Amino acid sequence: MTSPTPPPQAAARARAGEPGLAATVALYTLARLGLLAAVALLLALAGVPLLVALLVALIVALPLSMLLFRGLRSRLDRALAAANARRSAERESLRAQLRGDDRA
């Protein structure tokens, strides 16, 4: 049995310095939660009750994050596409091995 080699996408991503899927998802999630907290804090400082401020911030933060975090979102899309391509290649390789095809 041969040892698995890293897919070309992973090697290219490592050379480009882009973080992996988990790091990108974590960064995007933290950015969205930070924006939610900032909007809620601004509303609370303006005298809005905390629960109402959180609910309004939840609604306002979604479209605002689409504008503010456009670059981060595109990086997340690229990471998801790379992970999907890697899984598809691994799945196809496994199916070829199960069929008994010789793949070099």
Side-chain angles (χ1 to χ4, degrees), residues 87-97 99 101 103:
R87 282 191 301 263
S88 294
E90 289 173 358
R91 188 179 314 116
E92 184 56 38
S93 174
L94 178 61
R95 285 182 181 159
Q97 288 176 0
R99 284 192 308 264
D101 294 346
R103 281 195 137 186

Side-chain angles (χ1 to χ4, degrees), residues 48-82:
V48 177
L50 185 61
L51 184 59
V52 175
L54 283 172
L55 292 173
V56 170
L58 189 63
I59 294 169
V60 170
L62 176 65
L64 196 57
S65 69
M66 289 180 179
L67 293 174
L68 294 177
F69 305 134
R70 186 174 297 145
L72 190 55
R73 176 65 190 189
S74 66
R75 188 165 67 176
L76 179 62
D77 289 341
R78 285 193 308 271
L80 285 170

